[in-house]
Amino acid sequence: MSNPGNIVGGHKANLNNPNTSEESKQHSKDVIENEFAGGNVEKSGEKNPQNVAGGLKATVNNPQVSQEAKDSAQERLKDMGQ
């Protein structure tokens, strides 16, 4: 089976899409309620550390980000050994 979070996310997107039919939206509601306990699914687990480091490095180098956020990102990178 595919990632349950992705399945629920797709159905939630369908519910908010003005271009889908009411029948399709009803189907998505039914799937979320009956197969995924109302959309409450477990998180997939740990985040990929390389992706986290990449995001933090982007924060450090982004001119639109506050100095406080840059300092925080830099500290987290240091804690990760980056």
Side-chain angles (χ1 to χ4, degrees):
M1 182 176 193
S2 299
N3 180 332
N6 290 348
I7 295 170
V8 170
H11 284 290
K12 286 182 177 180
N14 183 46
L15 293 174
N16 292 304
N17 185 341
N19 298 318
T20 58
S21 68
E22 287 304 315
E23 180 181 350
S24 174
K25 290 179 183 190
Q26 185 58 50
H27 170 73
S28 288
K29 285 179 191 176
D30 292 343
V31 169
I32 291 170
E33 289 300 319
N34 298 326
E35 296 181 29
F36 294 99
N40 298 320
V41 294
E42 279 188 31
K43 303 243 186 234
S44 62
E46 288 291 315
K47 294 181 180 179
N48 182 326
Q50 293 168 333
N51 289 352
V52 172
L56 292 170
K57 288 175 183 177
T59 298
V60 169
N61 293 303
N62 185 341
Q64 302 280 337
V65 174
S66 70
Q67 189 60 46
E68 182 181 355
K70 288 181 181 186
D71 293 343
S72 174
Q74 191 67 47
E75 187 65 32
R76 288 181 60 196
L77 280 167
K78 191 186 320 177
D79 292 344
M80 295 175 68
Q82 296 282 324

Coordinates of all heavy atoms in Angstrom, one line a residue:
M1 N 0.8 -1.2 0.0 CA 0.0 0.0 0.0 C 0.9 1.2 0.0 O 2.0 1.3 0.6 CB -0.9 0.0 1.2 CG -1.9 1.1 1.3 SD -2.9 0.9 2.7 CE -4.1 2.2 2.3
S2 N 0.4 2.3 -0.6 CA 1.2 3.5 -0.7 C 1.2 4.2 0.7 O 0.5 3.8 1.6 CB 0.5 4.5 -1.7 OG 0.5 4.0 -3.0
N3 N 1.9 5.3 0.8 CA 2.0 6.0 2.1 C 0.6 6.5 2.4 O 0.0 7.3 1.7 CB 3.0 7.1 1.9 CG 3.2 8.0 3.1 OD1 2.3 8.1 4.0 ND2 4.3 8.6 3.2
P4 N 0.1 6.1 3.6 CA -1.2 6.6 4.0 C -1.4 8.1 4.1 O -2.4 8.7 3.7 CB -1.5 5.9 5.4 CG -0.5 4.8 5.4 CD 0.7 5.2 4.6
G5 N -0.3 8.8 4.5 CA -0.4 10.2 4.6 C -0.6 10.9 3.2 O -1.3 11.9 3.0
N6 N 0.1 10.3 2.2 CA -0.1 10.8 0.8 C -1.5 10.5 0.3 O -2.1 11.4 -0.4 CB 0.9 10.1 -0.1 CG 2.3 10.6 0.1 OD1 2.6 11.5 0.8 ND2 3.3 9.9 -0.5
I7 N -2.1 9.4 0.6 CA -3.4 9.1 0.2 C -4.4 10.0 0.8 O -5.2 10.6 0.1 CB -3.8 7.6 0.5 CG1 -2.9 6.6 -0.3 CG2 -5.2 7.3 0.2 CD1 -3.0 5.2 0.2
V8 N -4.3 10.2 2.1 CA -5.2 11.1 2.8 C -5.0 12.6 2.3 O -6.0 13.3 2.0 CB -5.0 11.1 4.3 CG1 -5.8 12.2 5.0 CG2 -5.4 9.7 4.9
G9 N -3.8 12.9 2.0 CA -3.5 14.3 1.5 C -4.1 14.5 0.1 O -4.7 15.6 -0.2
G10 N -4.1 13.5 -0.7 CA -4.7 13.6 -2.0 C -6.2 13.7 -1.9 O -6.9 14.5 -2.6
H11 N -6.8 13.0 -1.0 CA -8.3 13.1 -0.8 C -8.7 14.5 -0.2 O -9.7 15.0 -0.6 CB -8.8 12.0 0.1 CG -8.9 10.7 -0.7 ND1 -9.8 10.4 -1.7 CD2 -8.2 9.5 -0.6 CE1 -9.7 9.2 -2.2 NE2 -8.7 8.6 -1.5
K12 N -7.9 15.0 0.7 CA -8.1 16.3 1.3 C -8.0 17.4 0.2 O -8.8 18.3 0.2 CB -7.2 16.6 2.4 CG -7.5 15.8 3.7 CD -6.6 16.1 4.8 CE -7.0 15.4 6.1 NZ -6.1 15.7 7.2
A13 N -7.0 17.2 -0.7 CA -6.9 18.2 -1.8 C -8.1 18.1 -2.7 O -8.6 19.2 -3.1 CB -5.6 17.9 -2.6
N14 N -8.6 16.9 -2.9 CA -9.8 16.8 -3.8 C -11.0 17.5 -3.2 O -11.8 18.1 -3.9 CB -10.1 15.3 -4.0 CG -11.3 15.1 -4.9 OD1 -11.4 15.7 -5.9 ND2 -12.2 14.2 -4.5
L15 N -11.1 17.4 -1.8 CA -12.2 18.1 -1.2 C -12.2 19.6 -1.3 O -13.2 20.3 -1.3 CB -12.2 17.7 0.3 CG -12.5 16.3 0.7 CD1 -12.3 16.0 2.2 CD2 -13.9 15.9 0.2
N16 N -11.0 20.1 -1.5 CA -10.8 21.6 -1.6 C -10.7 22.1 -3.0 O -10.5 23.3 -3.2 CB -9.6 22.0 -0.8 CG -9.9 21.9 0.7 OD1 -10.8 22.4 1.2 ND2 -9.0 21.1 1.4
N17 N -10.8 21.2 -4.0 CA -10.6 21.5 -5.4 C -12.0 21.9 -6.0 O -12.9 21.1 -6.0 CB -10.0 20.4 -6.1 CG -9.7 20.7 -7.6 OD1 -10.2 21.7 -8.1 ND2 -8.8 19.9 -8.2
P18 N -12.1 23.2 -6.4 CA -13.4 23.6 -7.0 C -13.7 22.9 -8.3 O -14.9 23.0 -8.8 CB -13.2 25.1 -7.1 CG -11.8 25.3 -7.2 CD -11.1 24.2 -6.4
N19 N -12.8 22.3 -8.9 CA -13.0 21.7 -10.2 C -13.4 20.2 -10.2 O -13.5 19.6 -11.2 CB -11.7 21.8 -11.1 CG -11.4 23.3 -11.3 OD1 -12.2 24.1 -11.6 ND2 -10.1 23.6 -11.2
T20 N -13.6 19.6 -9.0 CA -14.0 18.2 -8.9 C -15.5 18.2 -8.6 O -16.0 19.1 -8.0 CB -13.2 17.5 -7.8 OG1 -13.3 18.1 -6.6 CG2 -11.7 17.4 -8.2
S21 N -16.1 17.1 -9.0 CA -17.5 16.9 -8.8 C -17.9 16.6 -7.4 O -17.0 16.2 -6.6 CB -18.0 15.7 -9.7 OG -17.5 14.5 -9.2
E22 N -19.1 16.8 -7.1 CA -19.6 16.5 -5.7 C -19.6 15.0 -5.5 O -19.3 14.6 -4.3 CB -21.1 17.0 -5.6 CG -21.2 18.5 -5.4 CD -20.4 19.1 -4.3 OE1 -20.4 18.5 -3.2 OE2 -19.7 20.1 -4.5
E23 N -19.7 14.2 -6.5 CA -19.6 12.7 -6.3 C -18.2 12.4 -6.0 O -18.0 11.5 -5.1 CB -20.0 12.1 -7.7 CG -19.9 10.6 -7.6 CD -20.3 9.9 -9.0 OE1 -20.8 10.7 -9.9 OE2 -20.1 8.7 -9.1
S24 N -17.2 13.0 -6.6 CA -15.8 12.7 -6.3 C -15.5 13.2 -4.9 O -14.8 12.5 -4.1 CB -14.9 13.5 -7.3 OG -13.6 13.4 -6.9
K25 N -16.0 14.3 -4.5 CA -15.8 14.8 -3.1 C -16.4 13.9 -2.1 O -15.8 13.7 -1.0 CB -16.3 16.3 -3.0 CG -15.5 17.3 -3.7 CD -16.0 18.7 -3.6 CE -15.2 19.6 -4.5 NZ -15.4 21.0 -4.3
Q26 N -17.6 13.4 -2.4 CA -18.3 12.5 -1.4 C -17.4 11.2 -1.3 O -17.3 10.7 -0.2 CB -19.7 12.2 -1.9 CG -20.4 11.3 -0.9 CD -20.5 12.0 0.5 OE1 -20.9 13.1 0.6 NE2 -20.2 11.2 1.5
H27 N -16.9 10.7 -2.4 CA -16.0 9.5 -2.4 C -14.8 9.8 -1.5 O -14.5 8.9 -0.6 CB -15.6 9.1 -3.8 CG -14.6 8.0 -3.8 ND1 -14.8 6.7 -3.5 CD2 -13.2 8.1 -4.0 CE1 -13.7 6.0 -3.5 NE2 -12.7 6.8 -3.8
S28 N -14.2 10.9 -1.6 CA -13.0 11.3 -0.8 C -13.4 11.4 0.7 O -12.6 10.9 1.5 CB -12.4 12.6 -1.3 OG -11.8 12.4 -2.5
K29 N -14.5 12.0 1.0 CA -15.0 12.0 2.4 C -15.2 10.6 2.9 O -14.7 10.3 4.1 CB -16.3 12.8 2.5 CG -16.2 14.3 2.3 CD -17.6 14.9 2.4 CE -17.6 16.4 2.1 NZ -18.9 17.0 2.1
D30 N -15.8 9.8 2.1 CA -16.0 8.4 2.6 C -14.7 7.6 2.9 O -14.6 6.9 3.9 CB -16.9 7.6 1.6 CG -18.3 8.1 1.5 OD1 -18.7 8.8 2.4 OD2 -19.0 7.8 0.5
V31 N -13.8 7.8 1.9 CA -12.5 7.1 2.1 C -11.8 7.6 3.4 O -11.3 6.8 4.1 CB -11.6 7.3 0.8 CG1 -10.2 6.8 1.1 CG2 -12.2 6.6 -0.4
I32 N -11.7 8.9 3.5 CA -11.1 9.5 4.7 C -11.7 9.0 6.0 O -11.0 8.6 6.9 CB -11.1 11.0 4.7 CG1 -10.1 11.5 3.5 CG2 -10.6 11.6 6.0 CD1 -10.2 13.0 3.2
E33 N -13.0 9.0 6.1 CA -13.7 8.6 7.3 C -13.7 7.1 7.5 O -13.4 6.7 8.6 CB -15.2 9.0 7.2 CG -15.4 10.5 7.3 CD -14.9 11.1 8.6 OE1 -15.1 10.4 9.7 OE2 -14.3 12.2 8.6
N34 N -13.9 6.3 6.5 CA -14.0 4.9 6.7 C -12.6 4.1 6.7 O -12.5 3.1 7.4 CB -14.9 4.3 5.6 CG -16.3 4.8 5.7 OD1 -16.8 5.1 6.8 ND2 -17.0 5.0 4.6
E35 N -11.7 4.6 5.9 CA -10.4 3.8 5.8 C -9.3 4.4 6.5 O -8.3 3.8 6.8 CB -10.1 3.7 4.3 CG -11.1 2.9 3.5 CD -10.7 2.7 2.0 OE1 -9.5 2.7 1.7 OE2 -11.6 2.6 1.2
F36 N -9.4 5.7 6.9 CA -8.3 6.4 7.5 C -8.7 7.1 8.8 O -8.1 8.1 9.2 CB -7.6 7.4 6.6 CG -6.9 6.7 5.4 CD1 -7.6 6.6 4.2 CD2 -5.7 6.1 5.6 CE1 -7.0 5.9 3.1 CE2 -5.1 5.4 4.5 CZ -5.7 5.3 3.3
A37 N -9.7 6.7 9.5 CA -10.2 7.2 10.8 C -10.3 8.7 10.8 O -9.8 9.4 11.7 CB -9.2 6.7 11.9
G38 N -10.9 9.2 9.8 CA -11.1 10.7 9.8 C -9.9 11.5 9.3 O -9.8 12.7 9.5
G39 N -8.8 10.8 8.8 CA -7.6 11.5 8.3 C -6.5 11.5 9.3 O -5.5 12.1 9.1
N40 N -6.7 10.9 10.5 CA -5.6 10.8 11.4 C -4.7 9.6 11.1 O -5.0 8.5 11.4 CB -6.2 10.7 12.9 CG -7.0 11.8 13.2 OD1 -6.7 13.0 12.9 ND2 -8.1 11.6 13.9
V41 N -3.5 9.9 10.5 CA -2.6 8.9 10.1 C -1.3 9.2 10.9 O -0.9 10.3 11.2 CB -2.4 8.8 8.6 CG1 -3.6 8.4 7.9 CG2 -1.9 10.2 8.1
E42 N -0.5 8.1 11.1 CA 0.8 8.2 11.7 C 1.8 8.9 10.8 O 1.7 8.8 9.6 CB 1.4 6.8 12.1 CG 0.8 6.2 13.3 CD 1.5 5.0 13.7 OE1 2.7 4.8 13.4 OE2 0.9 4.1 14.2
K43 N 2.6 9.7 11.4 CA 3.7 10.3 10.7 C 4.7 9.2 10.2 O 4.8 8.1 10.9 CB 4.5 11.3 11.5 CG 3.6 12.4 12.1 CD 4.0 13.7 11.6 CE 3.1 14.8 12.2 NZ 2.4 15.6 11.4
S44 N 5.4 9.4 9.1 CA 6.2 8.4 8.6 C 7.5 8.1 9.3 O 8.3 7.2 9.0 CB 6.5 8.7 7.1 OG 7.3 9.9 7.0
G45 N 7.8 8.9 10.3 CA 9.0 8.7 11.1 C 10.0 9.8 11.0 O 9.7 11.0 10.9
E46 N 11.3 9.4 11.1 CA 12.4 10.3 11.1 C 12.5 11.1 9.8 O 12.2 10.6 8.7 CB 13.7 9.6 11.4 CG 13.9 9.1 12.8 CD 14.0 10.2 13.8 OE1 14.8 11.2 13.5 OE2 13.4 10.2 14.8
K47 N 12.9 12.3 9.9 CA 13.2 13.1 8.7 C 14.6 12.8 8.2 O 15.5 12.4 9.0 CB 13.1 14.6 9.0 CG 11.7 15.1 9.4 CD 11.7 16.5 9.7 CE 10.3 16.9 10.1 NZ 10.2 18.4 10.4
N48 N 14.8 12.9 6.9 CA 16.1 12.7 6.3 C 17.1 13.8 6.7 O 16.9 14.9 6.4 CB 15.9 12.7 4.8 CG 17.2 12.4 4.1 OD1 18.3 12.7 4.5 ND2 17.1 11.7 2.9
P49 N 18.1 13.4 7.5 CA 19.0 14.4 8.0 C 19.7 15.3 6.9 O 20.0 16.5 7.1 CB 20.1 13.6 8.7 CG 19.6 12.3 8.9 CD 18.5 12.1 7.9
Q50 N 19.9 14.7 5.7 CA 20.5 15.5 4.6 C 19.6 16.5 4.1 O 20.0 17.7 3.8 CB 21.0 14.6 3.5 CG 22.1 13.7 4.0 CD 22.4 12.6 3.0 OE1 21.5 12.1 2.3 NE2 23.6 12.1 3.0
N51 N 18.3 16.2 4.1 CA 17.3 17.2 3.7 C 17.1 18.3 4.7 O 17.0 19.5 4.3 CB 15.9 16.5 3.4 CG 15.9 15.7 2.2 OD1 16.8 15.7 1.4 ND2 14.8 14.9 2.0
V52 N 17.2 17.9 6.0 CA 17.1 18.9 7.0 C 18.3 19.9 7.0 O 18.1 21.1 7.0 CB 17.0 18.2 8.4 CG1 17.2 19.3 9.5 CG2 15.8 17.4 8.6
A53 N 19.5 19.3 6.8 CA 20.7 20.1 6.7 C 20.6 21.1 5.5 O 21.0 22.2 5.6 CB 21.9 19.3 6.6
G54 N 20.1 20.6 4.4 CA 19.9 21.4 3.2 C 19.0 22.5 3.4 O 19.3 23.7 3.0
G55 N 17.9 22.3 4.1 CA 17.0 23.4 4.4 C 17.6 24.4 5.3 O 17.4 25.6 5.2
L56 N 18.3 23.9 6.3 CA 19.0 24.9 7.2 C 20.1 25.7 6.5 O 20.2 26.9 6.8 CB 19.6 24.1 8.4 CG 18.6 23.4 9.3 CD1 19.4 22.5 10.3 CD2 17.8 24.4 10.1
K57 N 20.8 25.1 5.6 CA 21.8 25.8 4.8 C 21.1 26.9 4.0 O 21.6 28.0 3.8 CB 22.6 24.9 4.0 CG 23.6 24.1 4.8 CD 24.3 23.0 4.0 CE 25.2 22.2 4.8 NZ 25.9 21.1 4.0
A58 N 20.0 26.5 3.4 CA 19.2 27.5 2.6 C 18.8 28.7 3.4 O 18.8 29.8 3.0 CB 18.0 26.8 1.9
T59 N 18.3 28.4 4.7 CA 17.9 29.4 5.6 C 19.1 30.4 5.9 O 18.9 31.6 5.9 CB 17.4 28.8 6.9 OG1 16.3 28.0 6.6 CG2 17.0 29.9 7.9
V60 N 20.3 29.8 6.1 CA 21.4 30.6 6.5 C 21.8 31.6 5.3 O 22.2 32.7 5.5 CB 22.6 29.7 6.8 CG1 23.9 30.5 6.9 CG2 22.4 29.0 8.1
N61 N 21.6 31.1 4.1 CA 22.0 31.9 2.9 C 20.9 32.7 2.3 O 21.1 33.4 1.3 CB 22.6 31.0 1.8 CG 23.9 30.4 2.3 OD1 24.8 31.1 2.7 ND2 23.9 29.1 2.4
N62 N 19.7 32.7 2.8 CA 18.6 33.4 2.3 C 18.5 34.9 2.8 O 18.4 35.1 4.0 CB 17.3 32.7 2.6 CG 16.0 33.3 2.0 OD1 16.0 34.4 1.6 ND2 15.0 32.5 2.0
P63 N 18.6 35.8 1.9 CA 18.6 37.2 2.3 C 17.3 37.7 2.9 O 17.2 38.7 3.6 CB 19.0 38.0 1.1 CG 18.6 37.1 -0.1 CD 18.8 35.7 0.4
Q64 N 16.2 36.9 2.7 CA 14.9 37.3 3.1 C 14.6 36.9 4.6 O 13.6 37.2 5.1 CB 13.8 36.7 2.2 CG 13.9 37.0 0.8 CD 13.3 38.4 0.5 OE1 12.5 38.9 1.2 NE2 13.8 39.0 -0.6
V65 N 15.6 36.1 5.2 CA 15.4 35.5 6.5 C 16.0 36.4 7.5 O 17.1 37.0 7.3 CB 16.0 34.1 6.5 CG1 16.0 33.5 7.9 CG2 15.3 33.2 5.5
S66 N 15.4 36.5 8.7 CA 15.9 37.3 9.8 C 17.2 36.8 10.3 O 17.5 35.6 10.2 CB 14.9 37.4 10.9 OG 14.8 36.1 11.6
Q67 N 18.0 37.6 10.9 CA 19.3 37.2 11.5 C 19.0 36.2 12.6 O 19.8 35.3 12.8 CB 20.0 38.4 12.1 CG 21.4 38.1 12.5 CD 22.3 37.5 11.3 OE1 22.3 38.0 10.2 NE2 23.0 36.4 11.6
E68 N 18.0 36.4 13.4 CA 17.6 35.4 14.4 C 17.4 34.0 13.9 O 17.9 33.0 14.4 CB 16.4 35.9 15.2 CG 16.0 35.0 16.3 CD 14.7 35.4 17.0 OE1 14.2 36.5 16.7 OE2 14.3 34.7 17.9
A69 N 16.7 33.9 12.8 CA 16.4 32.6 12.1 C 17.7 32.0 11.6 O 18.0 30.8 11.7 CB 15.4 32.7 11.0
K70 N 18.6 32.9 11.0 CA 19.9 32.4 10.5 C 20.7 31.9 11.6 O 21.4 30.8 11.4 CB 20.6 33.6 9.8 CG 20.0 33.9 8.4 CD 20.7 35.1 7.8 CE 20.1 35.4 6.5 NZ 20.8 36.4 5.7
D71 N 20.8 32.6 12.7 CA 21.6 32.1 13.9 C 21.1 30.8 14.4 O 21.9 29.9 14.7 CB 21.6 33.2 15.0 CG 22.3 34.5 14.6 OD1 23.1 34.5 13.6 OD2 22.0 35.5 15.3
S72 N 19.8 30.7 14.5 CA 19.2 29.4 14.9 C 19.5 28.3 14.0 O 19.9 27.2 14.4 CB 17.7 29.6 15.0 OG 17.1 28.3 15.3
A73 N 19.4 28.5 12.7 CA 19.7 27.5 11.7 C 21.2 27.1 11.8 O 21.6 25.9 11.7 CB 19.4 28.0 10.3
Q74 N 22.1 28.1 11.9 CA 23.5 27.9 12.0 C 23.8 27.0 13.3 O 24.6 26.1 13.2 CB 24.3 29.2 12.1 CG 25.8 29.0 11.9 CD 26.1 28.5 10.6 OE1 25.7 29.1 9.6 NE2 27.0 27.5 10.5
E75 N 23.2 27.3 14.4 CA 23.4 26.5 15.6 C 22.9 25.1 15.4 O 23.6 24.1 15.9 CB 22.6 27.2 16.8 CG 22.9 26.6 18.1 CD 24.3 26.7 18.6 OE1 24.9 27.7 18.2 OE2 24.8 25.8 19.3
R76 N 21.8 24.9 14.8 CA 21.3 23.5 14.5 C 22.2 22.8 13.6 O 22.5 21.6 13.8 CB 19.9 23.6 13.9 CG 18.8 23.9 15.0 CD 17.4 24.0 14.4 NE 17.0 22.6 13.9 CZ 16.0 22.4 13.1 NH1 15.2 23.5 12.7 NH2 15.7 21.2 12.7
L77 N 22.8 23.5 12.6 CA 23.8 22.8 11.7 C 25.0 22.4 12.5 O 25.5 21.3 12.3 CB 24.2 23.8 10.6 CG 23.2 23.9 9.4 CD1 23.6 25.1 8.5 CD2 23.2 22.6 8.6
K78 N 25.4 23.2 13.4 CA 26.6 22.9 14.2 C 26.3 21.7 15.1 O 27.1 20.8 15.2 CB 27.0 24.1 15.1 CG 28.3 24.0 15.8 CD 28.6 25.1 16.8 CE 28.3 26.4 16.4 NZ 28.5 27.4 17.4
D79 N 25.1 21.6 15.6 CA 24.7 20.5 16.5 C 24.6 19.2 15.6 O 24.8 18.1 16.2 CB 23.3 20.7 17.1 CG 23.3 21.8 18.1 OD1 24.4 22.2 18.6 OD2 22.3 22.3 18.5
M80 N 24.4 19.3 14.3 CA 24.3 18.2 13.4 C 25.7 17.8 12.9 O 25.8 16.8 12.2 CB 23.4 18.4 12.2 CG 22.0 18.7 12.6 SD 21.0 19.1 11.1 CE 21.1 17.6 10.1
G81 N 26.7 18.6 13.2 CA 28.1 18.3 12.8 C 28.3 18.8 11.3 O 29.2 18.3 10.7
Q82 N 27.5 19.7 10.9 CA 27.6 20.3 9.5 C 28.4 21.5 9.5 O 28.4 22.4 10.3 CB 26.3 20.6 9.0 CG 25.4 19.3 8.8 CD 25.8 18.5 7.6 OE1 26.1 19.1 6.5 NE2 25.7 17.2 7.7

